[in-house]
Amino acid sequence: MTNDVAVSIRKTGMYIDPTAPIDPDLLIAIGQQMKALKQENEIMQPKAKYYDEVLDSSSLIPITRIAKEYGLSGQSLNRLLCKWEIQYKQGGVFVLYQDYTNEGYAYYEDYPYIDDNGDTQTTQLLKWTQKGREFLHYVLTSNGYNRRKDLRNI
């Protein structure tokens, strides 16, 4: 392959032999396809930006906030996740089943509290990443739960 061919393919995605007869219908079809791809790219850019910026975010979300998007309480959603074997409770702390542990769906955050004797104690709370939030949306939707329309952009 000559350098001209490689450069043409890299720049335009195709190579047209300049010595070959030109088919106007082929040129029109190529132009229409390029226009459609450009429009599709414009539609996909905001989605790609969302995934790049939001799903890679290191911020953590409490289960209650995700639950509210479905009109549920945090306790109700935790019970459902236990029922669906996504998480279980051990020693008062929710733990992900092994299948979900290394997916980057959730992390623990240390939480200090004052016990009944007035002493400061700590526990860990399982909080969800944006990737985990998207996973929970998929699981909930797959199980017949619909997001509340007024809370879709939370």
Side-chain angles (χ1 to χ4, degrees):
M1 183 181 321
T2 68
N3 192 36
D4 292 342
V5 173
V7 169
S8 177
I9 291 172
R10 190 176 68 247
K11 286 184 177 181
T12 66
M14 66 182 148
Y15 173 75
I16 298 176
D17 182 352
T19 63
I22 296 175
D23 179 357
D25 292 334
L26 177 61
L27 290 177
I28 291 170
I30 291 170
Q32 289 172 336
Q33 184 178 18
M34 289 177 73
K35 182 178 179 180
L37 288 173
K38 183 178 178 187
Q39 289 172 338
E40 184 178 345
N41 189 29
E42 288 171 359
I43 292 169
M44 297 302 291
Q45 282 298 326
K47 293 177 183 182
K49 184 177 180 183
Y50 172 82
Y51 279 93
D52 287 346
E53 293 177 357
V54 176
L55 293 186
D56 284 342
S57 168
S58 62
S59 63
L60 299 174
I61 306 164
I63 193 73
T64 301
R65 221 161 63 211
I66 298 169
K68 293 300 178 190
E69 294 182 50
Y70 290 85
L72 299 170
S73 69
Q75 289 178 342
S76 298
L77 181 51
N78 277 324
R79 278 195 295 275
L80 287 171
L81 296 177
C82 289
K83 176 183 168 185
W84 296 330
E85 297 185 346
I86 292 170
Q87 69 182 18
Y88 59 95
K89 200 167 193 178
Q90 182 178 41
V93 176
F94 286 104
V95 179
L96 294 179
Y97 276 91
Q98 189 60 42
D99 288 349
Y100 308 104
T101 299
N102 296 319
E103 298 297 324
Y105 293 151
Y107 294 101
Y108 292 100
E109 194 171 84
D110 292 327
Y111 179 74
Y113 67 95
I114 307 296
D115 68 12
D116 294 338
N117 297 325
D119 297 326
T120 301
Q121 304 290 333
T122 59
T123 189
Q124 289 187 318
L125 297 177
L126 185 66
K127 291 194 174 182
W128 296 83
T129 63
Q130 289 291 344
K131 182 179 178 183
R133 179 176 170 240
E134 288 295 313
F135 168 70
L136 293 181
H137 289 319
Y138 171 77
V139 169
L140 285 159
T141 302
S142 298
N143 283 284
Y145 290 84
N146 296 314
R147 287 172 83 178
R148 292 178 46 192
K149 291 182 190 314
D150 57 331
L151 295 175
R152 285 190 192 252
N153 292 323
I154 287 181

